[in-house]
């Protein structure tokens, strides 16, 4: 009798008995109908495999997929040719696609140029086509206004890496930029054996994150290394060429220069200039982000520290919070992540 029972093809009744669910619930799960929890679908799938209810797997998979809500998460980044932003975009896409509770897709966009009009345009287009939006953007009135309009329309809005810093603050994901600047100053002053002048490069005053890093740098010198002199911050517009030219000029006219900190982009220009006119270790250089170029410069001892953003942790936290906000769940006002510190002996 048991042999006959085992040889018989299992029925939906057997599947309901094994899963401990009603026949109606099992039928809804198998046919992709609504009002079935993910937990119930998982129980039916497990029981189907256990008793050999063949053909249920694909149906259950399709049912689970069709019942997952769809979300489009918009991300406005910048400079798609740069390794860091390529890596960040890929990481955000990976984290979105890895979600099992929703069908999330990452829509990663970039302004055509760094102009306020292009930022405003891409923020508007991305925000209107997505369920939530997170941006890396400078502190420009047009940017704040575009994000404000989206938020007033009920769209969840977030900033990454650069806190826009205006009175009506948006939720922020990134590192503590004031602390990043202090870390850079600590590294330079403890690494150098004799005091002297230190140079800081910032993209522009439009990046609140860069201003905070410069402030943190200066505050550390005032508190712990007053024998070092911070020179007036140099603007490099986050570009390799401007940083290269400014570094060459700086080295030529400042014999007392002991160290440099690139608070934003453009570190490749400083590295190239040092390789061209100074031996390794002559000028201590601190940069942001671990990239193929900064890794090579660390190995060759042109860079003494790269202060990195934890891209994977940032991406995961940002995707999770955007999903929570899209479903009207409460979220934290900011997510501050610890910096990753890379030195010559750690790469």
């Amino acid at each position: 009798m048991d042999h006959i029972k085992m040889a018989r093809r299992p029925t939906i009744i057997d599947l309901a008995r094994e899963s401990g669910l009603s026949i109606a619930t099992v039928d809804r799960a198998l046919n992709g109908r609504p009002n079935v929890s993910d937990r119930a679908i998982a129980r039916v799938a497990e029981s189907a495999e256990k008793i050999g209810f063949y053909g249920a797997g694909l149906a259950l998979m399709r049912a689970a997929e069709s019942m997952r809500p769809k979300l489009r998460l918009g991300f406005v980044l910048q400079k798609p040719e740069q390794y860091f932003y390529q890596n960040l975009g890929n990481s955000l896409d990976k984290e979105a696609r890895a979600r099992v509770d929703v069908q999330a897709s990452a829509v990663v966009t970039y302004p055509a140029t760094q102009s306020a009009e292009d930022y405003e345009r891409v923020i508007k287009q991305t925000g209107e086509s997505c369920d939530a939006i997170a941006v890396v953007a400078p502190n420009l009135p047009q940017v704040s206004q575009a994000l404000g309009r989206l938020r007033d329309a009920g769209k969840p809005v977030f900033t990454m890496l650069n806190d826009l810093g205006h009175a009506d603050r948006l939720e922020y994901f990134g590192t503590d930029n004031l602390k990043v600047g202090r870390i850079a100053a600590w590294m330079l002053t403890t690494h150098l054996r004799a005091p002297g002048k230190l140079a800081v490069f910032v993209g522009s005053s439009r990046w609140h994150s860069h201003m905070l890093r410069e402030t943190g740098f200066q505050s550390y010198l005032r508190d712990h290394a007053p024998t070092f002199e911070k020179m007036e911050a140099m603007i490099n517009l986050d570009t390799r060429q401007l940083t290269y030219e400014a570094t060459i000029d700086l080295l030529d006219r400042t014999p007392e220069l002991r160290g440099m900190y690139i608070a934003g982009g453009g570190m490749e220009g400083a590295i190239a200039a040092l390789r061209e006119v100074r031996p390794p270790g002559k000028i201590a250089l601190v940069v942001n982000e671990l990239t193929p170029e900064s890794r090579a410069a660390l190995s060759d001892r042109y860079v003494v520290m790269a202060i990195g953003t934890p891209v994977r942790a940032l991406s995961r936290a940002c995707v999770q919070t955007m999903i929570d906000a899209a479903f009207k769940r409460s979220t934290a006002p900011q997510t501050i992540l610890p910096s990753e510190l890379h030195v010559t002996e750690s790469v």
Side-chain angles (χ1 to χ4, degrees), residues 195-199 217-218 221 225-232 256-257:
K197 292 186 175 182
L198 303 175
F217 191 96
Q218 181 66 70
L221 297 185
T227 57
F228 286 86
E229 177 189 348
K230 175 190 166 294
M231 302 174 65
E232 184 176 351
E256 322 92 277
L257 184 69

Side-chain angles (χ1 to χ4, degrees), residues 53-110:
F53 192 93
Y54 300 111
L58 182 58
L60 289 167
M61 203 161 58
R62 287 174 177 167
E65 185 73 15
S66 67
M67 286 191 292
R68 288 194 302 162
K70 294 181 179 180
L71 285 179
R72 284 168 57 87
L73 307 180
F75 301 95
V76 176
L77 308 182
Q78 62 159 347
K79 300 188 176 181
E81 73 282 359
Q82 290 189 357
Y83 174 88
F84 173 77
Y85 287 107
Q86 292 173 4
N87 186 35
L88 177 58
N90 291 336
S91 180
L92 290 165
D93 177 67
K94 182 178 180 180
E95 290 298 330
R97 287 188 293 105
R99 300 294 300 216
V100 296
D101 53 338
V102 297
Q103 295 183 67
S105 60
V107 180
V108 181
T109 58
Y110 304 86

Side-chain angles (χ1 to χ4, degrees), residues 2-13:
D2 286 342
H3 174 72
I4 296 174
K5 205 172 177 184
M6 289 290 290
R8 178 174 62 83
R9 185 174 181 178
T11 67
I12 193 172
I13 297 174

